[in-house]
Amino acid sequence: SLMKRYVDICVKHRAVFHLWTHPWSIVEEGGSSERMVKTALEPVFAHMAQKRDEGLLHTGTMGSLATALEMDGRAAPAMSAQN
């Protein structure tokens, strides 16, 4: 699938693969999300789990990525609100 190819490209280039969705994006006409989850998302999650288990991929939240980049010095620290 296209998403699995993107995962492989990101692994190869040590880049970020950001996967996001909203509940209404995966619900098909008629109110069922099962087909979308089974045919599109589960294979991608399995592929990502395999790459993670091989030590080639790290999974995390956007917050954990931001924290890691800040600690590594590759991102500016988050700005705090000034009173």
Side-chain angles (χ1 to χ4, degrees):
S1 78
L2 182 60
M3 286 191 286
K4 290 196 298 189
R5 287 193 302 242
Y6 283 144
V7 169
D8 291 341
I9 290 168
C10 290
V11 166
K12 179 179 179 181
H13 295 283
R14 299 182 49 86
V16 173
F17 176 76
H18 180 162
L19 177 63
W20 77 99
T21 189
H22 301 282
W24 58 85
S25 299
I26 61 172
V27 175
E28 296 177 340
E29 193 171 317
S32 173
S33 61
E34 184 176 346
R35 182 172 171 259
M36 172 67 90
V37 170
K38 291 281 185 200
T39 61
L41 296 177
E42 284 185 4
V44 174
F45 294 153
H47 186 66
M48 292 172 71
Q50 177 186 353
K51 297 295 181 187
R52 182 199 60 220
D53 294 347
E54 293 171 359
L56 300 173
L57 176 73
H58 171 77
T59 58
T61 65
M62 290 302 292
S64 66
L65 174 62
T67 300
L69 291 175
E70 287 174 1
M71 291 176 66
D72 194 34
R74 291 187 280 172
M79 296 182 67
S80 61
Q82 295 180 0
N83 297 326

